[in-house]
Amino acid sequence: MEDSCDDPPTSAVLLDSCHFSHVLFNHVEKFYVPGGDVTCHYTLTQNITARAKDWVGIFRVGWKTTREYYTFMWAPLPAAGHGDTAVQQKIQFKAYYLPKDDEYYQFCYVDQDGMVRGASVPFQFRAEAEDDILVVTTQGEVEEIELQNKNLRQENQELKASCANLQQQNLELQEELKKTQELQKSLESLRSNTEKLELELNSLKVENKHLKEQGDCTGAELQQLKEQIQSVTSEKERLETRLRTALDHMDQLQSQVLNYEKEVENLSHVDQDKTKQLETLKEENQQLRLSTAQQVKPSSKVKPSSKVEPFLTISVPQGAQQHDLMKELEEQKHLFQVLQAEKDEADEESQKLRAENSALLRHLSQATELSALPRAPAAAPVPGAGDLLFGNPYSVYLGFFPLQASLRVCPLCGELFPGDVESSQYEAHVRSHLLDCPMCTESFENKQVFEDHLLCHRLE
């Protein structure tokens, strides 16, 4: 037979996973006579497709896997056209390979995957029983058989109870096994969660350490900024003190200039009076000369000493007075020149003070980014520019100091704008520093950031 040269495909699949209804065995006898060939008839249903390695085996009743076959034969392939209809097949087992005992056997159809697709009813290999044989037993044997049957029944009951116990224990063990498997799965999930939490904890520790370092750095920077603010505040106070001192000095200079201007004005009035007096004296002198000349002509025969002498005595004091007036006028001119030189020096010092005040104001405007500049102290009333001979030196600063508290500073370039400037003009100036993206509505102050943003649009 073929089983001596090639083993059939088998498997360790349990009976619960087999499909015994795919192949149906027909005309199976209750017993077969030993020493003769056995023909097996079976039907392939539409649920199975026959393959070359399918086989039919004879198994002892109680088998567990397809490896426990006693003998087998390769199943012939059906004729072409087998598809949705059932096909009748048969196969013959030789007597030499059949079992020789009287145990119960059955036919099983096994496919090439080792799966059982059909099984027959059990049968035996023994001689045909004689129906006309009379068996005679004694009463003792009957009692003994009944006792054996009773013992067997009792043993059977015990075995059934034991089997039920075992089945119950098996169910409990299966439930415990399921619980254990669930616990193991939950334990594994807990382990994985614990590992994840440990990783997250480590990362949080690293991040916390990094944040602490950043906090230390930020604290140092904050302390440095506080020190800078204190230094800027002290510098601002010092500059304000200098500015107040300069303004007081300017007030003093202005009062000196006003005094000088009054003195110059008085001197100019005196000079005008002296000039008028000198002109009057010149006219009187001219008249005296004319009258003297007229008196000399008719009395040319008279001795000159008798008539000219009074005029000479009169003209001498007039020349001395004129000389005195000229001398006094020269002194007034010299005093005027000295006062003019002092005024020029005062103007030059005032210009220097104005330049210093401008520098201080620029410095204060830069300091307003850290702290607001307080309003400058109100200056003393200053006379109008039309009342002064040389103009009002406060005219440059009168319009600036009251507006210092309401100045508007450009946040990008630091340019100063007066408080009454129009918002549209200020916003247009700030907007001129921004770079608008032509592809979206965003604006940027930094050119490098703007170029990187445009590159992102191109990459899209």
Side-chain angles (χ1 to χ4, degrees):
M1 287 187 63
E2 296 181 21
D3 60 346
S4 61
C5 61
D6 190 9
D7 293 332
T10 60
S11 68
V13 180
L14 298 177
L15 297 179
D16 296 339
S17 61
C18 298
H19 304 279
F20 296 101
S21 62
H22 293 172
V23 178
L24 304 177
F25 288 90
N26 308 319
H27 311 297
V28 179
E29 303 292 340
K30 292 182 179 180
F31 57 87
Y32 293 93
V33 178
D37 298 337
V38 175
T39 302
C40 173
H41 299 271
Y42 60 91
T43 302
L44 298 175
T45 64
Q46 63 271 18
N47 296 324
I48 185 172
T49 301
R51 290 180 288 182
K53 289 293 184 177
D54 293 353
W55 54 281
V56 178
I58 297 176
F59 291 81
R60 188 192 301 271
V61 173
W63 57 275
K64 300 296 183 184
T65 66
T66 55
R67 297 173 184 171
E68 300 177 12
Y69 65 92
Y70 185 86
T71 185
F72 79 97
M73 291 291 292
W74 295 109
L77 293 173
H82 168 64
D84 297 337
T85 59
V87 178
Q88 300 290 333
Q89 295 288 98
K90 67 178 181 178
I91 190 170
Q92 189 176 31
F93 290 91
K94 298 297 182 181
Y96 178 76
Y97 300 102
L98 297 177
K100 303 298 188 293
D101 54 12
D102 58 352
E103 296 292 335
Y104 283 93
Y105 293 87
Q106 63 181 153
F107 299 111
C108 291
Y109 188 97
V110 184
D111 61 12
Q112 69 178 13
D113 297 327
M115 302 294 294
V116 178
R117 309 300 292 273
S120 68
V121 296
F123 56 86
Q124 289 180 296
F125 291 94
R126 63 181 179 83
E128 187 175 358
E130 297 292 337
D131 294 337
D132 54 352
I133 297 177
L134 180 62
V135 179
V136 179
T137 58
T138 62
Q139 184 66 28
E141 290 176 352
V142 171
E143 291 177 357
E144 185 178 358
I145 290 172
E146 288 179 356
L147 182 60
Q148 289 179 356
N149 288 337
K150 184 178 180 181
N151 292 334
L152 289 173
R153 289 193 192 97
Q154 188 177 357
E155 187 177 356
N156 189 16
Q157 292 296 330
E158 292 175 356
L159 289 174
K160 284 181 179 180
S162 176
C163 181
N165 259 341
L166 291 174
Q167 287 178 353
Q168 184 66 26
Q169 290 177 3
N170 187 17
L171 291 175
E172 292 176 356
L173 289 174
Q174 286 180 357
E175 290 178 358
E176 290 180 359
L177 180 62
K178 288 180 181 179
K179 291 180 180 179
T180 305
Q181 290 176 352
E182 291 176 357
L183 289 174
Q184 189 173 2
K185 288 180 181 179
S186 62
L187 181 61
E188 290 177 356
S189 64
L190 287 174
R191 284 178 180 173
S192 62
N193 291 333
T194 304
E195 292 176 355
K196 290 180 182 178
L197 290 174
E198 287 178 353
L199 292 175
E200 291 180 359
L201 180 61
N202 293 331
S203 64
L204 288 174
K205 285 181 179 178
V206 174
E207 187 175 357
N208 190 15
K209 184 179 179 181
H210 182 62
L211 288 175
K212 284 183 179 178
E213 293 176 355
Q214 286 185 350
D216 295 337
C217 295
T218 306
E221 292 177 358
L222 183 61
Q223 185 64 27
Q224 187 177 1
L225 287 175
K226 286 182 180 178
E227 293 176 357
Q228 289 180 0
I229 290 173
Q230 291 177 356
S231 63
V232 168
T233 305
S234 61
E235 181 69 17
K236 188 190 75 170
E237 292 175 353
R238 186 178 64 82
L239 291 175
E240 287 177 353
T241 305
R242 288 182 60 186
L243 181 61
R244 293 191 189 97
T245 305
L247 291 174
D248 294 339
H249 192 190
M250 184 176 286
D251 292 337
Q252 295 174 2
L253 288 176
Q254 180 64 23
S255 63
Q256 290 179 6
V257 169
L258 290 175
N259 294 330
Y260 289 154
E261 287 178 352
K262 289 180 181 179
E263 291 179 4
V264 169
E265 189 176 358
N266 293 330
L267 288 174
S268 64
H269 289 311
V270 172
D271 190 16
Q272 289 177 3
D273 294 338
K274 296 293 183 181
T275 304
K276 288 180 180 179
Q277 188 177 0
L278 182 60
E279 288 178 355
T280 305
L281 290 173
K282 283 181 179 180
E283 290 178 357
E284 290 177 358
N285 192 9
Q286 186 69 24
Q287 290 177 1
L288 287 173
R289 285 179 183 179
L290 289 175
S291 64
T292 303
Q294 289 176 0
Q295 289 177 5
V296 169
K297 286 181 182 180
S299 60
S300 58
K301 296 180 180 180
V302 184
K303 293 181 180 178
S305 61
S306 59
K307 298 293 181 180
V308 175
E309 209 171 273
F311 293 100
L312 291 174
T313 57
I314 296 171
S315 62
V316 169
Q318 293 291 334
Q321 188 178 4
Q322 185 178 3
H323 180 71
D324 293 336
L325 289 173
M326 293 296 292
K327 185 176 180 181
E328 188 177 356
L329 182 61
E330 290 294 332
E331 290 176 358
Q332 293 292 334
K333 286 182 179 179
H334 179 69
L335 180 60
F336 178 76
Q337 291 175 358
V338 171
L339 291 174
Q340 186 68 30
E342 291 179 357
K343 178 182 174 298
D344 293 338
E345 291 178 359
D347 289 340
E348 185 177 357
E349 188 174 359
S350 177
Q351 292 293 334
K352 291 181 180 178
L353 287 174
R354 288 177 183 177
E356 186 177 359
N357 288 342
S358 299
L360 292 174
L361 289 172
R362 284 196 298 272
H363 201 149
L364 284 174
S365 65
Q366 294 175 359
T368 53
E369 296 180 0
L370 294 176
S371 61
L373 180 65
R375 186 178 295 274
V382 181
D387 299 333
L388 298 178
L389 182 61
F390 298 98
N392 187 1
Y394 285 93
S395 59
V396 179
Y397 302 97
L398 286 176
F400 182 79
F401 284 99
L403 297 175
Q404 184 67 30
S406 60
L407 286 178
R408 303 181 72 176
V409 184
C410 177
L412 301 177
C413 67
E415 186 175 352
L416 296 174
F417 290 87
D420 57 350
V421 69
E422 294 183 0
S423 298
S424 58
Q425 182 180 355
Y426 176 76
E427 291 174 359
H429 173 78
V430 176
R431 191 71 182 174
S432 64
H433 293 292
L434 299 178
L435 300 172
D436 295 330
C437 177
M439 301 181 182
C440 64
T441 59
E442 292 190 16
S443 301
F444 301 90
E445 300 175 7
N446 191 294
K447 186 177 181 182
Q448 183 63 39
V449 178
F450 173 71
E451 292 176 354
D452 294 341
H453 178 75
L454 289 180
L455 180 60
C456 293
H457 277 303
R458 295 192 188 98
L459 292 176
E460 291 175 357

